[in-house]
Amino acid sequence: MQKQQPSLVIFTDGAARGNPGPGGYGIVMFWGPHKKELSAGYRLTTNNRMELMAVIVALQSLTKKNLPVTIYTDSQYVVNSVEKKWLDNWIKTDFKGGKKNKDLWLKYYQLSKQYNVKFKWVKGHAENEWNNRCDELATAAADGNNLLIDEGYENSINIMQ
C-alpha cells in the first residue's frame, strides 16, 4: 500500500498602504504537521501585485514538484483570474487592452505548470484564522524597514512618466 502524501495548503494575503504605496505579502504554508510563514515588504506597489506576489513566492519556496496545492486567498482578483480562465485569455492576447501585472502573471503561469494548483476564496478580515495571520504578516511587512523594490511596478510607472 502506497503511503499518502500530506496535502499542501497555503494561505496568502497582500496589502498596500495606499494603492499604490508601501506594500507587503504574508504567507502561511502547511505540509502535514509542518507550518512555515513568509513575508516581505516593498516600498511602492499595489494591493493586487502583493496578492499575486504572495502566491508566486509561496510556489517558488516549494522544493517538490507536481504536488497538489490548495491556495486560500481573499483576493477575488487572483481567484477569478485563474479559476475563470481569464489569465489564459490574457496570455493568448498578450495582455491586450492594458491588463495589469503582466510580469507577475507570466511568472505565476510558468510556476503553476509545475504543480496542480487549486484556488479557494475566503472572506478577508473575517473568521479565518490563517487568512487573518497572513494579513498581520502582510501589513507588518508593509510597515517595516528595509523595504524591497517592486521593480516590475516601478519600471512600469517610470515608462508612463
Side-chain angles (χ1 to χ4, degrees), residues 76-108:
Q76 290 189 2
Y77 170 68
V78 171
V79 172
N80 290 339
S81 295
V82 175
E83 295 296 324
K84 293 184 176 182
K85 309 290 185 206
W86 298 347
L87 176 58
D88 293 346
N89 189 50
W90 297 343
I91 289 170
K92 280 183 207 161
T93 62
D94 194 27
F95 292 78
K96 183 178 166 188
K99 297 292 180 220
K100 295 182 178 181
N101 306 318
K102 177 180 178 179
D103 61 323
L104 294 181
W105 280 119
L106 291 175
K107 197 176 286 189
Y108 164 77

Side-chain angles (χ1 to χ4, degrees), residues 75-159:
S75 171
Q76 290 189 2
Y77 170 68
V78 171
V79 172
N80 290 339
S81 295
V82 175
E83 295 296 324
K84 293 184 176 182
K85 309 290 185 206
W86 298 347
L87 176 58
D88 293 346
N89 189 50
W90 297 343
I91 289 170
K92 280 183 207 161
T93 62
D94 194 27
F95 292 78
K96 183 178 166 188
K99 297 292 180 220
K100 295 182 178 181
N101 306 318
K102 177 180 178 179
D103 61 323
L104 294 181
W105 280 119
L106 291 175
K107 197 176 286 189
Y108 164 77
Y109 184 73
Q110 290 305 316
L111 280 167
S112 72
K113 292 178 182 180
Q114 301 171 35
Y115 305 96
N116 177 9
V117 180
K118 180 76 179 157
F119 284 92
K120 303 269 186 181
W121 181 79
V122 295
K123 185 174 181 174
H125 311 284
E127 311 298 305
N128 189 297
E129 172 184 5
W130 301 114
N131 177 259
N132 289 337
R133 177 62 183 146
C134 289
D135 181 63
E136 290 171 6
L137 291 168
T139 55
D143 293 339
N145 297 318
N146 302 317
L147 298 176
L148 302 171
I149 298 170
D150 180 350
E151 292 181 20
Y153 181 74
E154 292 197 24
N155 288 341
S156 73
I157 61 171
N158 288 336
I159 291 169

Side-chain angles (χ1 to χ4, degrees), residues 45-57:
T45 191
T46 67
N47 185 68
N48 280 344
R49 286 185 67 81
M50 291 296 95
E51 296 281 5
L52 187 49
M53 183 73 80
V55 171
I56 290 167
V57 170

